[in-house]
Amino acid sequence: MARPKGNTGIKVKTVAENRRARFEYFIEDTTEAGIALAGTEVKALRGGEGSIAEAYAEVKDGQMWLVNANIPEFSHGNRFNHEPKRPRKLLLHAREIERMGSAVARQGMTIIPLSVYFNDRGRAKVELALGRGKKLHDKRETIKERDWKRDAARLMREKG
């Protein structure tokens, strides 16, 4: 009998987040992907270690890879410990890989990991986004909008 499907997409424990991505890119589309990890990588992630600040995803030979993500070595690992910055295979359907790969090739977009987390079933997942890079004037506009919202919230607190 098949295992009942849980609520997919629910983040139980966020391990790493790329907060800079929303500032650097216009996010067009997001999707969830699994990651093929070694045992010591899972243990390091469960301990809250890991960084995806400089990471990106690329399509090679019909497979998607997470490149430049840093999962430090597990402290209690032995000689079988993993390499911290190795490319990690992302688990997606072929149709999703083709869709994202064609967007990168045709429209000049980038595949950015937004967060690494464990779902309700305890599986490590990556939230991937298709993004278009912002120009300098777009970033200035984002900063201006963020400052305006902060000032508006401050004024509302003072009045109320």
Side-chain angles (χ1 to χ4, degrees):
M1 189 161 132
R3 193 185 305 180
K5 285 212 172 207
N7 296 337
T8 56
I10 295 178
K11 296 180 184 181
V12 174
K13 180 184 178 188
T14 301
V15 177
E17 199 170 8
N18 189 352
R19 297 180 62 205
R20 192 100 182 123
R22 296 191 190 277
F23 179 73
E24 298 282 341
Y25 298 93
F26 290 114
I27 304 300
E28 303 281 326
D29 186 29
T30 60
T31 188
E32 179 183 73
I35 326 171
L37 296 172
T40 53
E41 290 175 322
V42 176
K43 288 184 176 206
L45 283 176
R46 287 203 190 277
E49 301 174 11
S51 169
I52 55 169
E54 307 93 35
Y56 62 95
E58 66 180 2
V59 178
K60 261 192 207 167
D61 302 326
Q63 297 179 344
M64 180 104 47
W65 295 87
L66 182 64
V67 181
N68 217 13
N70 184 27
I71 300 175
E73 290 186 341
F74 181 56
S75 59
H76 299 303
N78 55 13
R79 67 177 186 249
F80 300 112
N81 226 334
H82 64 277
E83 187 182 325
K85 284 208 169 199
R86 74 175 182 89
R88 293 165 177 89
K89 186 176 179 180
L90 295 176
L91 309 173
L92 288 162
H93 291 285
R95 185 172 46 250
E96 293 173 315
I97 293 172
E98 177 61 32
R99 180 180 58 83
M100 293 180 106
S102 65
V104 169
R106 271 190 257 130
Q107 301 168 3
M109 299 178 106
T110 308
I111 306 170
I112 315 136
L114 295 178
S115 64
V116 175
Y117 58 92
F118 287 97
N119 68 1
D120 57 340
R121 292 176 61 188
R123 306 272 193 240
K125 300 288 183 179
V126 178
E127 184 179 14
L128 294 174
L130 274 172
R132 187 179 317 279
K134 286 186 180 178
K135 304 280 191 262
L136 183 61
H137 60 86
D138 294 326
K139 292 179 187 177
R140 284 193 198 121
E141 188 67 34
T142 304
I143 292 169
K144 193 187 308 179
E145 185 177 317
R146 186 176 57 207
D147 289 345
W148 184 85
K149 284 182 181 177
R150 188 181 305 128
D151 290 342
R154 187 179 306 124
L155 286 172
M156 293 301 286
R157 276 196 308 264
E158 288 174 4
K159 283 184 180 182

